[in-house]
Protein backbone atom coordinates (compact mmCIF):
# COMPACT_ATOMS: atom_id res chain seq x y z
CA UNK A 1 0.00 0.00 0.00
CA UNK A 2 1.30 3.45 -0.86
CA UNK A 3 2.06 5.74 2.06
CA UNK A 4 -0.24 8.44 0.66
CA UNK A 5 -3.06 7.84 -1.82
CA UNK A 6 -5.34 10.13 -3.76
CA UNK A 7 -7.99 9.61 -6.40
CA UNK A 8 -6.33 10.95 -9.58
CA UNK A 9 -9.61 12.21 -11.04
CA UNK A 10 -10.18 14.22 -13.07
CA UNK A 11 -13.12 15.73 -11.26
CA UNK A 12 -15.09 17.67 -13.87
CA UNK A 13 -17.56 20.05 -12.21
CA UNK A 14 -19.59 23.11 -13.25
CA UNK A 15 -18.86 26.55 -11.87
CA UNK A 16 -20.51 27.03 -8.52
CA UNK A 17 -20.38 23.37 -7.57
CA UNK A 18 -19.04 21.99 -4.32
CA UNK A 19 -16.34 19.37 -4.69
CA UNK A 20 -14.42 17.32 -2.16
CA UNK A 21 -11.17 15.37 -2.35
CA UNK A 22 -9.83 12.82 0.07
CA UNK A 23 -6.29 11.75 0.79
CA UNK A 24 -5.62 8.57 2.75
CA UNK A 25 -2.39 7.81 4.56
CA UNK A 26 -0.91 4.66 6.06
CA UNK A 27 1.39 5.98 8.79
CA UNK A 28 -0.71 6.60 11.89
CA UNK A 29 2.18 8.55 13.46
CA UNK A 30 1.93 11.31 10.83
CA UNK A 31 1.83 14.76 12.41
CA UNK A 32 1.97 17.22 9.52
CA UNK A 33 -0.83 17.62 7.00
CA UNK A 34 -1.06 19.99 4.07
CA UNK A 35 -2.89 20.58 0.82
CA UNK A 36 -1.00 21.96 -2.16
CA UNK A 37 -2.17 23.30 -5.49
CA UNK A 38 -0.21 22.77 -8.70
CA UNK A 39 -0.99 24.52 -11.95
CA UNK A 40 0.16 23.12 -15.27
CA UNK A 41 3.93 23.44 -15.71
CA UNK A 42 4.33 25.19 -12.37
CA UNK A 43 5.68 24.12 -9.01
CA UNK A 44 3.28 23.08 -6.22
CA UNK A 45 2.25 25.89 -3.89
CA UNK A 46 0.88 25.64 -0.38
CA UNK A 47 -2.90 25.96 -0.33
CA UNK A 48 -3.51 25.30 3.33
CA UNK A 49 -2.36 23.41 6.37
CA UNK A 50 -4.72 20.92 7.95
CA UNK A 51 -5.26 21.19 11.68
CA UNK A 52 -6.71 18.58 14.00
CA UNK A 53 -9.89 20.56 14.59
CA UNK A 54 -10.36 21.34 10.90
CA UNK A 55 -9.87 24.74 9.35
CA UNK A 56 -11.38 27.01 6.77
CA UNK A 57 -9.96 29.61 4.43
CA UNK A 58 -12.65 31.33 2.41
CA UNK A 59 -14.22 28.76 0.10
CA UNK A 60 -11.80 26.04 1.18
CA UNK A 61 -12.25 23.73 4.16
CA UNK A 62 -9.72 21.14 5.28
CA UNK A 63 -10.41 18.35 7.72
CA UNK A 64 -8.43 15.60 9.38
CA UNK A 65 -9.84 12.23 10.40
CA UNK A 66 -7.17 10.47 12.41
CA UNK A 67 -9.30 7.42 13.19
CA UNK A 68 -9.79 6.62 9.51
CA UNK A 69 -6.44 8.12 8.50
CA UNK A 70 -7.48 10.57 5.86
CA UNK A 71 -7.58 14.29 5.22
CA UNK A 72 -10.10 16.04 3.05
CA UNK A 73 -10.38 19.26 1.08
CA UNK A 74 -13.75 20.81 0.33
CA UNK A 75 -14.10 23.57 -2.24
CA UNK A 76 -17.36 25.49 -2.26
CA UNK A 77 -18.68 27.66 -5.09
CA UNK A 78 -16.03 26.42 -7.53
CA UNK A 79 -14.45 28.98 -9.85
CA UNK A 80 -12.85 28.42 -13.25
CA UNK A 81 -9.58 29.48 -11.63
CA UNK A 82 -9.78 26.53 -9.22
CA UNK A 83 -8.88 24.20 -12.09
CA UNK A 84 -5.58 22.64 -11.07
CA UNK A 85 -4.10 19.53 -9.50
CA UNK A 86 -4.45 19.26 -5.74
CA UNK A 87 -1.74 17.38 -3.85
CA UNK A 88 -1.72 16.25 -0.25
CA UNK A 89 1.29 15.64 1.95
CA UNK A 90 0.98 13.94 5.31
CA UNK A 91 4.45 13.52 6.69
CA UNK A 92 7.65 15.33 7.46
CA UNK A 93 9.44 12.94 5.09
CA UNK A 94 8.06 14.82 2.12
CA UNK A 95 5.88 12.09 0.67
CA UNK A 96 3.18 13.62 -1.50
CA UNK A 97 0.11 12.02 -2.95
CA UNK A 98 0.06 11.77 -6.71
CA UNK A 99 -2.57 14.50 -6.95
CA UNK A 100 -6.21 14.92 -7.89
CA UNK A 101 -6.98 16.89 -11.01
CA UNK A 102 -9.91 19.31 -10.89
CA UNK A 103 -11.52 20.79 -13.99
CA UNK A 104 -14.14 23.48 -13.45
CA UNK A 105 -16.24 24.13 -16.56
CA UNK A 106 -18.33 27.23 -17.36
CA UNK B 1 9.03 34.94 1.72
CA UNK B 2 11.09 31.77 1.56
CA UNK B 3 12.86 31.49 -1.71
CA UNK B 4 14.08 28.25 -3.23
CA UNK B 5 16.20 28.74 -6.30
CA UNK B 6 17.11 26.07 -8.82
CA UNK B 7 20.06 26.92 -10.99
CA UNK B 8 18.59 26.02 -14.38
CA UNK B 9 15.07 26.08 -15.77
CA UNK B 10 15.91 23.94 -18.80
CA UNK B 11 18.85 21.60 -19.30
CA UNK B 12 19.82 19.29 -22.16
CA UNK B 13 22.51 16.69 -21.52
CA UNK B 14 23.92 13.72 -23.39
CA UNK B 15 23.64 10.12 -22.27
CA UNK B 16 26.51 9.21 -19.97
CA UNK B 17 27.25 12.76 -18.84
CA UNK B 18 27.55 13.63 -15.17
CA UNK B 19 24.84 16.14 -14.34
CA UNK B 20 24.60 18.48 -11.36
CA UNK B 21 21.32 20.11 -10.38
CA UNK B 22 21.72 22.83 -7.78
CA UNK B 23 19.20 24.10 -5.26
CA UNK B 24 19.64 26.98 -2.82
CA UNK B 25 17.22 28.18 -0.12
CA UNK B 26 17.50 31.41 1.81
CA UNK B 27 15.45 30.82 4.97
CA UNK B 28 17.73 28.63 7.05
CA UNK B 29 15.49 25.57 6.61
CA UNK B 30 16.82 22.34 8.04
CA UNK B 31 15.14 20.03 5.55
CA UNK B 32 15.66 19.84 1.82
CA UNK B 33 14.21 17.47 -0.77
CA UNK B 34 14.66 16.44 -4.38
CA UNK B 35 11.76 15.12 -6.45
CA UNK B 36 11.12 14.17 -10.01
CA UNK B 37 7.72 14.62 -11.58
CA UNK B 38 6.51 12.71 -14.61
CA UNK B 39 3.03 12.72 -16.18
CA UNK B 40 0.71 10.35 -14.36
CA UNK B 41 3.28 9.50 -11.67
CA UNK B 42 3.04 12.52 -9.39
CA UNK B 43 5.90 13.79 -7.27
CA UNK B 44 8.37 11.04 -6.46
CA UNK B 45 10.92 11.60 -3.72
CA UNK B 46 14.52 10.90 -4.74
CA UNK B 47 16.52 11.99 -1.70
CA UNK B 48 16.07 14.23 1.29
CA UNK B 49 18.31 15.78 3.91
CA UNK B 50 17.59 16.84 7.48
CA UNK B 51 20.92 18.48 8.11
CA UNK B 52 24.28 19.34 6.64
CA UNK B 53 26.14 16.26 5.36
CA UNK B 54 23.12 14.14 6.15
CA UNK B 55 21.04 12.39 3.49
CA UNK B 56 18.37 9.76 3.30
CA UNK B 57 17.06 7.81 0.34
CA UNK B 58 13.58 8.50 -0.85
CA UNK B 59 11.45 6.21 -2.99
CA UNK B 60 13.54 6.27 -6.17
CA UNK B 61 17.23 6.92 -5.36
CA UNK B 62 18.70 4.60 -8.00
CA UNK B 63 20.92 6.44 -10.46
CA UNK B 64 21.13 9.55 -8.27
CA UNK B 65 23.27 10.87 -5.45
CA UNK B 66 23.13 14.07 -3.43
CA UNK B 67 25.41 16.44 -1.61
CA UNK B 68 24.70 18.84 1.21
CA UNK B 69 27.91 20.55 2.27
CA UNK B 70 26.16 23.73 3.42
CA UNK B 71 22.78 24.17 5.03
CA UNK B 72 21.42 26.35 2.25
CA UNK B 73 22.50 24.19 -0.69
CA UNK B 74 21.36 20.73 -1.77
CA UNK B 75 22.73 19.27 -4.98
CA UNK B 76 21.35 16.38 -7.00
CA UNK B 77 23.88 14.42 -9.05
CA UNK B 78 23.19 12.11 -11.95
CA UNK B 79 26.41 10.11 -12.13
CA UNK B 80 25.80 8.91 -15.69
CA UNK B 81 22.69 10.41 -17.22
CA UNK B 82 20.32 8.11 -19.06
CA UNK B 83 17.31 8.86 -21.25
CA UNK B 84 14.93 7.51 -18.60
CA UNK B 85 16.06 10.33 -16.32
CA UNK B 86 14.47 12.87 -18.63
CA UNK B 87 12.00 14.57 -16.31
CA UNK B 88 11.03 17.67 -14.34
CA UNK B 89 13.14 17.92 -11.19
CA UNK B 90 11.82 19.89 -8.24
CA UNK B 91 13.67 20.92 -5.12
CA UNK B 92 11.88 21.82 -1.89
CA UNK B 93 12.77 22.96 1.59
CA UNK B 94 10.90 22.89 4.87
CA UNK B 95 11.18 23.66 8.51
CA UNK B 96 8.76 21.10 9.87
CA UNK B 97 9.28 19.89 13.37
CA UNK B 98 7.05 18.71 16.17
CA UNK B 99 5.91 22.19 17.04
CA UNK B 100 6.00 24.00 13.74
CA UNK B 101 3.89 23.55 10.69
CA UNK B 102 5.18 25.68 7.86
CA UNK B 103 4.98 23.29 4.94
CA UNK B 104 7.23 22.81 1.95
CA UNK B 105 8.43 25.52 -0.41
CA UNK B 106 9.37 24.50 -3.92
CA UNK B 107 11.76 25.86 -6.49
CA UNK B 108 10.40 26.50 -9.98
CA UNK B 109 11.87 23.25 -11.30
CA UNK B 110 14.47 22.11 -13.81
CA UNK B 111 13.27 20.39 -16.93
CA UNK B 112 16.07 17.98 -17.83
CA UNK B 113 16.23 16.29 -21.21
CA UNK B 114 18.78 13.54 -21.73
CA UNK B 115 19.49 12.80 -25.39
Amino acid sequence: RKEVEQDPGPFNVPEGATVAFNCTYSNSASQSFFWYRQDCRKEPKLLMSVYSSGNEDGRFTAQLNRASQYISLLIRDSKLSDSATYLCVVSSRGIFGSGTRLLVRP
Amino acid sequence: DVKVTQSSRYLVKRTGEKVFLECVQDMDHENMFWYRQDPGLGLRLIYFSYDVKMKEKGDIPEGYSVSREKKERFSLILESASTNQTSMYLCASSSISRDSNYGYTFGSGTRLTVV
Side-chain angles (χ1 to χ4, degrees), chain B residues 31-45:
Chain B
N31 309 325
M32 297 188 76
F33 305 83
W34 272 108
Y35 299 87
R36 64 176 284 176
Q37 188 170 35
D38 303 286
L41 296 178
L43 277 171
R44 291 185 291 168
L45 181 63

Side-chain angles (χ1 to χ4, degrees), chain A residues 32-34 36 38 41-44 46 49-51 87 89 91-98, chain B residues 9 33 35 37 41-43 45 48 50 57 59 90 96 101-108 111:
Chain A
S32 304
F33 306 91
F34 303 92
Y36 277 73
Q38 186 174 24
R41 298 186 180 278
K42 298 282 190 179
E43 71 274 20
L46 180 65
S49 303
V50 185
Y51 301 118
L87 303 159
V89 54
S91 78
S92 60
R93 282 185 64 246
I95 304 297
F96 281 73
S98 54
Chain B
R9 188 75 178 96
F33 305 83
Y35 299 87
Q37 188 170 35
L41 296 178
L43 277 171
L45 181 63
F48 61 102
Y50 286 149
K57 293 180 180 179
D59 295 330
L90 288 156
I96 296 174
N101 208 6
Y102 303 122
Y104 301 78
T105 301
F106 285 84
S108 54
R111 186 165 292 279

Side-chain angles (χ1 to χ4, degrees), chain A residues 14-77:
Chain A
E15 267 188 295
T18 295
V19 62
F21 312 132
N22 283 344
C23 170
T24 59
Y25 60 95
S26 59
N27 185 353
S28 59
S30 296
Q31 297 290 336
S32 304
F33 306 91
F34 303 92
W35 282 103
Y36 277 73
R37 171 192 170 125
Q38 186 174 24
D39 293 296
C40 190
R41 298 186 180 278
K42 298 282 190 179
E43 71 274 20
K45 294 195 174 175
L46 180 65
L47 179 65
M48 58 197 301
S49 303
V50 185
Y51 301 118
S52 297
S53 55
N55 47 297
E56 192 173 300
D57 183 3
R59 298 182 293 108
F60 298 84
T61 300
Q63 293 195 313
L64 166 64
N65 186 318
R66 283 193 185 273
S68 300
Q69 294 183 204
Y70 71 89
I71 62 172
S72 63
L73 177 68
L74 181 79
I75 306 175
R76 290 182 298 278
D77 188 23

